């Protein structure tokens, strides 16, 4: 009995070591994939700055999640405007993507995607898609999006309890949808949602 104990202990130690090796390998693979995804941006950029404080760089997490939103935007099939969003939990452990597109199971044919009136009536926006995908309480979460949210999306975000919104500034887009974006600003302000726009500088 005594002679068998060391053998059993050695076997257990070997199994534990193997499990740790497998676990560490999986973590490294996932972590590597995540970082590669974060850095796979469609645009080369030197920095993202807050336009109200020209030249002041934002924190690394804001930069990463805005970069991820840009990558997610490429999943959209909308030929006119591709919007990407990522919804992030307060501890940054959950990241949920969303992009503008037709509802699940609905054919996204070229004819439909080129029909502006059809798209306006049927397409789900990136922010709304991210919230629907979450399927859980997102109160206090942060939304990172490639464009300023419209009035409808802002209403959904306010109702869902989103605590902050970061978006990339786009003057042409903001001029085109000025009325809707002004309404969005009013809703965000009244609901106490922190909103911050960041201008993209090419480098």
């Amino acid at each position: 009995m005594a002679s068998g104990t060391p053998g059993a202990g050695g076997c257990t130690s070997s199994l534990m070591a193997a499990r740790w090796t497998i676990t560490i390998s999986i973590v490294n693979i996932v972590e590597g994939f995540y970082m590669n995804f974060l850095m796979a941006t469609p645009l080369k950029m030197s920095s993202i700055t807050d336009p109200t404080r020209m030249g002041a760089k934002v924190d690394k997490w804001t930069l990463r999640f805005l970069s991820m939103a840009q990558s997610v935007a490429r999943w959209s099939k909308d030929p006119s405007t591709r919007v990407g969003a990522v919804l992030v939990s307060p501890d940054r452990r959950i990241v949920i993507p969303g992009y503008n597109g037709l509802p699940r199971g609905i054919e996204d044919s070229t004819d439909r995607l080129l029909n502006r009136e059809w798209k306006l009536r049927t397409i789900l926006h990136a922010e709304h898609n991210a919230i629907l995908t979450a399927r859980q309480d997102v109160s206090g979460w942060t939304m990172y999006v490639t464009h300023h949210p419209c009035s409808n999306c802002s209403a959904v975000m306010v109702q869902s309890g989103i605590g902050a919104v970061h978006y990339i500034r786009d003057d042409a887009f903001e001029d085109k949808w000025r009325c809707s974006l002004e309404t969005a600003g009013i809703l965000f302000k009244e609901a106490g949602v922190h909103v911050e726009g960041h201008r993209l500088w090419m480098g």
Side-chain angles (χ1 to χ4, degrees), residues 71-144:
S71 294
V72 172
R74 290 184 290 178
W75 302 353
S76 171
K77 295 183 180 180
D78 190 332
S80 58
T81 305
R82 295 182 175 184
V83 181
V86 290
L87 182 56
V88 182
S89 62
D91 61 4
R92 297 193 293 267
R93 291 181 179 273
I94 304 176
V95 179
I96 299 172
Y99 57 93
N100 58 319
L102 294 175
R104 184 181 303 170
I106 304 303
E107 183 184 0
D108 49 5
S109 64
T110 302
D111 288 342
R112 286 180 171 179
L113 292 174
L114 292 176
N115 186 327
R116 187 172 184 273
E117 293 304 316
W118 170 268
K119 287 195 301 181
L120 290 176
R121 293 195 302 266
T122 59
I123 273 190
L124 284 171
H125 288 191
E127 305 94 317
H128 199 170
N129 255 332
I131 291 172
L132 289 172
T133 301
R135 296 179 180 275
Q136 61 181 296
D137 181 15
V138 294
S139 298
W141 290 35
T142 300
M143 184 76 75
Y144 297 85

Side-chain angles (χ1 to χ4, degrees), residues 139-155:
S139 298
W141 290 35
T142 300
M143 184 76 75
Y144 297 85
V145 61
T146 56
H147 298 71
H148 191 301
C150 69
S151 56
N152 289 336
C153 284
S154 67

Side-chain angles (χ1 to χ4, degrees), residues 178-196:
R178 183 170 302 279
C179 290
S180 177
L181 305 193
E182 287 178 351
T183 301
I186 293 172
L187 295 180
F188 283 138
K189 184 176 181 180
E190 288 190 19
V193 178
H194 174 77
V195 180
E196 194 168 349

Side-chain angles (χ1 to χ4, degrees), residues 1-8:
M1 190 72 164
S3 62
T5 303

